[in-house]
Amino acid sequence: MRNFARTRIAPEADRIDREDVYPLEVVREFAKAGFTRTLVPIEYGGKGDFRLTAALFEEVAYASCAAAISLVTIFQAMTMIRLFACQSLKDHYIPKIADGLACSYSLTETTHGSDIRRLDTKAVREGDEWILTGEKSFITSGDKAEFFVMLAETPVGVSAFAVPYPLPGLEKYVGEHSSTFGMRNGPHVNMRLEGVRLPADHLIGTEGKGVRQAATTLNYSRNCAAAVSIGIARSAFDGALARARRRIAFDNTILSLQGIQWYFAEMLTEIDASRLLVYRAAQALNDDNDIDRYSSVAKLKAGRVATETCLTAMQICGAWGTSDNTPFGRYLRDAKTYEIGGGSAEILKNTIAKYIIRAEDANG
C-alpha cells in the first residue's frame, strides 16, 4: 500500500489539489490493485481488521489527503450499507464498492449542518417505491460519485436511503460555497431531488432511525479521519526534517540547532501519541466496544495534532515553507479543514461527554 501511494498517488497530489478534481482514475486503480477490498466485510472478500483499514488511510493521506477523503466517503457509504441495509441491497452494492464504485455520504442541507434531526428533503412511500423530493448540500466527493447514501425525512422520521446516480429527477450542481481551501477532491456539490423514485428495498435499515444510523456510521469513519490526519502530520514532519537536514544557517544545518531539534521531538511525541489512539480506536471497532468514545477521542487529538504539526513544520522551513512551490500550504489547509470536517472539535467533545455521563450512570 505504501509503495502504491508513493508511486501512484503522491505524484498526482499537487495537481489534484490545484485543479480541485475528484481523483477517479486513482480510485479505480486503487480498487483494481485490490486495496478497496480492505474496506468491505470478510464475506465480500475483505480483511475484517480495522487496524489494517486505519493503516491504509494513513498511507494514502501521507501521499494525498484528497485521495484519502475520496476513500473515506466510499467507506462511509459501505459502512451504512454493511451495518443496516437489507441483504438484497448489500449483495447488490458492496461488490460494486469493492470494485471501485465512487460513493458519497449526503447528510447536510443548507439550513441543517450538524443538526440532522429535522430535514427539508422528504421521502414518501408509494406502493413498492419511495419518492424523494428536496435538496442536499455540501456533499463531499459528490462531483464524480455514482452512488449516494442520503438522509431524507419520512412521516416516521429521518431515514437513510441508497441513491444510485444518475436517476430521473436527480440533478447535481455546484453551489455558492462548494469549494474549500483544503481537502480539495472536487467541489462539494448540491443535489436537487424532484420526485426521485427508488425501489422499496433502497430504504437503508429502519424507517425513522436514520439519525442514529448516521451517527453510528460517523463513529466508524471518524477513526479513518483520525488516520488521515496522522498521514498529513507525518508528511509535514518528514518534509520539514528533509529541509532541516539540507538548509545551512550559521555554517551548519539548522537540524544541528537544539531549538529545531526540540521542535521535532515535540512533534514526534504528539504524532506517536495520536497514532496510538488511532489504532486503539481501530481495535475498539474490531471488538465492537465503546466505539463512540475511542473514535471521537482519536479524531479530536489527531486533528489538532495534524494542524499543529503543519504549523510547526512550516515554521522550521521559514519563508521556503510558505512558498506555493512547496507542499506545506497544502498540508496545513488539509489538516485544518479536516480538523473541522467529519465532526468538529465541539461535536466530538459532546460525544465524549455523553459517553462519560453514560458510563458514570451505568456504574451507579
Side-chain angles (χ1 to χ4, degrees):
M1 179 65 244
R2 179 174 294 168
N3 181 63
F4 180 90
R6 297 187 185 182
T7 59
R8 181 62 188 94
I9 300 176
E12 297 290 320
D14 284 331
R15 181 189 65 81
I16 293 168
D17 174 76
R18 183 177 61 257
E19 298 178 5
D20 193 10
V21 294
Y22 184 91
L24 187 59
E25 290 184 6
V26 170
V27 170
R28 295 280 197 254
E29 289 184 33
F30 188 87
K32 187 176 180 180
F35 296 119
T36 309
R37 293 193 176 275
T38 306
L39 311 181
V40 304
I42 293 175
E43 58 268 30
Y44 293 93
K47 300 296 183 182
D49 188 344
F50 287 101
R51 295 171 302 175
L52 185 59
T53 304
L56 180 147
F57 279 103
E58 183 182 334
E59 289 303 322
V60 174
Y62 184 95
S64 165
C65 175
I69 296 303
S70 302
L71 297 177
V72 169
T73 54
I74 290 172
F75 176 82
Q76 288 174 323
M78 186 281 301
T79 299
M80 177 69 89
I81 296 290
R82 179 180 70 85
L83 292 178
F84 302 109
C86 63
Q87 194 61 47
S88 62
L89 212 56
K90 292 180 184 180
D91 291 344
H92 183 72
Y93 284 111
I94 291 180
K96 292 179 181 291
I97 292 171
D99 288 339
L101 184 71
C103 303
S104 191
Y105 197 56
S106 177
L107 310 184
T108 304
E109 296 182 356
T110 301
T111 55
H112 303 278
S114 297
D115 186 359
I116 54 175
R117 296 170 299 173
R118 294 286 184 271
L119 296 175
D120 296 328
T121 301
K122 307 299 181 183
V124 294
R125 181 73 179 266
E126 187 177 284
D128 292 332
E129 292 181 315
W130 287 95
I131 303 175
L132 277 63
T133 301
E135 186 165 326
K136 310 300 289 188
S137 65
F138 211 70
I139 305 173
T140 304
S141 300
D143 184 38
K144 298 296 184 183
E146 305 154 306
F147 175 76
F148 295 81
V149 166
M150 189 174 294
L151 294 189
E153 189 171 329
T154 72
V156 174
V158 173
S159 306
F161 293 89
V163 183
Y165 182 88
L167 282 177
L170 196 58
E171 178 192 0
K172 294 181 188 179
Y173 72 95
V174 176
E176 181 181 358
H177 303 292
S178 293
S179 183
T180 55
F181 69 71
M183 291 168 51
R184 290 168 57 84
N185 73 332
H188 297 68
V189 300
N190 287 17
M191 182 78 79
R192 189 176 291 117
L193 301 94
E194 296 182 358
V196 175
R197 291 179 175 270
L198 298 173
D201 71 347
H202 278 51
L203 170 71
I204 302 174
T206 304
E207 183 182 354
K209 300 296 184 182
V211 173
R212 182 178 297 178
Q213 293 170 190
T216 300
T217 300
L218 287 172
N219 284 331
Y220 276 73
S221 66
R222 279 171 183 160
N223 188 48
C224 301
V228 169
S229 292
I230 295 301
I232 299 168
R234 284 179 46 220
S235 264
F237 179 95
D238 287 352
L241 184 60
R243 176 64 176 171
R245 286 184 180 278
R246 295 193 305 268
R247 184 185 172 196
I248 302 297
F250 308 105
D251 302 322
N252 213 330
T253 66
I254 63 169
L255 188 59
S256 68
L257 302 174
Q258 187 181 60
I260 299 298
Q261 293 173 4
W262 282 8
Y263 274 142
F264 283 109
E266 289 284 356
M267 286 193 292
L268 183 62
T269 300
E270 291 298 299
I271 291 171
D272 278 355
S274 303
R275 206 171 187 218
L276 287 169
L277 285 174
V278 168
Y279 288 93
R280 177 62 185 87
Q283 187 58 49
L285 286 170
N286 284 344
D287 299 337
D288 193 21
N289 180 48
D290 292 339
I291 292 171
D292 53 343
R293 168 193 170 174
Y294 287 107
S295 62
S296 297
V297 167
K299 186 181 185 303
L300 180 64
K301 178 67 173 177
R304 184 181 298 157
V305 166
T307 300
E308 292 171 353
T309 299
C310 291
L311 285 168
T312 303
M314 190 176 287
Q315 184 73 25
I316 290 168
C317 294
W320 185 82
T322 67
S323 170
D324 280 341
N325 294 322
T326 69
F328 292 96
R330 168 164 59 87
Y331 297 153
L332 179 59
R333 289 185 285 104
D334 287 341
K336 186 59 188 178
T337 304
Y338 215 18
E339 189 179 356
I340 296 169
S344 67
E346 293 76 16
I347 292 293
L348 296 172
K349 289 175 186 178
N350 285 345
T351 302
I352 296 165
K354 288 176 183 176
Y355 168 84
I356 293 169
I357 294 168
R358 187 173 72 244
E360 182 67 18
D361 289 343
N363 292 328

